[in-house]
Amino acid sequence: TMLIGGLLAVGLIGCSGGRSPVNLGVSDGRLAPCPGSPNCVSSQADAVDQRVEPLRYAGEPAAARARLLETLNGMERAQLVQADEHYLHAEFRSAVLGFVDDVEFLFSLPGVIQVRSASRTGYYDFGVNRERVEAIRARFAPVAP
């Protein structure tokens, strides 16, 4: 019963998702740096193991923003938290324990969307944040004619 109680406690903590980190958002034109833990990836990271490529688009930023919003809305367990002209923040909850990952997008330069995906709790993420960014990239990519 000790194990079951512990699992329930972890489940309840996971379901709460914790509070949104205070370091999210844009500061000096950049998304927050990743912490030292391997459960974060960012297109603005210096460390090779945390770096992902930004999303790229052609055309108007407003059209790319609309396409990105549509992409996020079509993904399971995603909830949009903030959507400004140049910044988007979505929360993704894990299916089993409800752990929350924060995914942010910054329209920085024409044709470029910076991206950051980080687990709110824990240390290792088993590559989940990197896989999510790549899934978003694949869904966001323009459809070939």
Side-chain angles (χ1 to χ4, degrees), residues 1 17 61 63 66 73 90 107 142:
T1 59
N73 286 334
F107 287 73

Side-chain angles (χ1 to χ4, degrees), residues 75-96:
M75 298 184 79
E76 287 186 26
R77 297 180 301 281
Q79 179 180 340
L80 192 63
V81 176
Q82 185 177 347
D84 298 333
E85 185 180 354
H86 300 288
Y87 173 79
L88 301 176
H89 172 208
E91 293 177 348
F92 283 79
R93 287 190 181 273
S94 65
V96 178

Side-chain angles (χ1 to χ4, degrees), residues 116-138:
R116 179 183 188 271
S117 184
S119 301
R120 202 172 276 183
T121 56
Y123 186 77
Y124 291 107
D125 71 346
F126 305 101
V128 168
N129 283 290
R130 182 175 298 279
E131 288 174 17
R132 179 180 301 110
V133 169
E134 295 311 320
I136 291 168
R137 182 187 319 283

Side-chain angles (χ1 to χ4, degrees), residues 87-111:
Y87 173 79
L88 301 176
H89 172 208
E91 293 177 348
F92 283 79
R93 287 190 181 273
S94 65
V96 178
L97 294 177
F99 290 116
V100 177
D101 293 341
D102 293 286
V103 185
E104 300 174 280
F105 303 90
L106 172 63
F107 287 73
S108 58
L109 301 168

Side-chain angles (χ1 to χ4, degrees), residues 5-131:
L7 287 175
L8 284 174
V10 168
L12 292 174
I13 291 167
C15 289
S16 71
R19 287 198 182 128
S20 186
V22 295
N23 68 330
L24 296 183
V26 181
S27 178
D28 295 325
R30 293 180 63 87
L31 298 171
C34 282
S37 54
N39 61 0
C40 176
V41 294
S42 172
S43 57
Q44 295 178 320
D46 293 326
V48 173
D49 59 336
Q50 292 181 324
R51 180 148 174 77
V52 291
E53 285 300 309
L55 301 179
R56 300 197 184 274
Y57 64 93
E60 292 300 314
R65 183 180 177 279
R67 195 165 81 238
L68 182 54
L69 284 168
E70 186 178 309
T71 297
L72 294 172
N73 286 334
M75 298 184 79
E76 287 186 26
R77 297 180 301 281
Q79 179 180 340
L80 192 63
V81 176
Q82 185 177 347
D84 298 333
E85 185 180 354
H86 300 288
Y87 173 79
L88 301 176
H89 172 208
E91 293 177 348
F92 283 79
R93 287 190 181 273
S94 65
V96 178
L97 294 177
F99 290 116
V100 177
D101 293 341
D102 293 286
V103 185
E104 300 174 280
F105 303 90
L106 172 63
F107 287 73
S108 58
L109 301 168
V112 178
I113 306 170
Q114 302 296 341
V115 59
R116 179 183 188 271
S117 184
S119 301
R120 202 172 276 183
T121 56
Y123 186 77
Y124 291 107
D125 71 346
F126 305 101
V128 168
N129 283 290
R130 182 175 298 279
E131 288 174 17

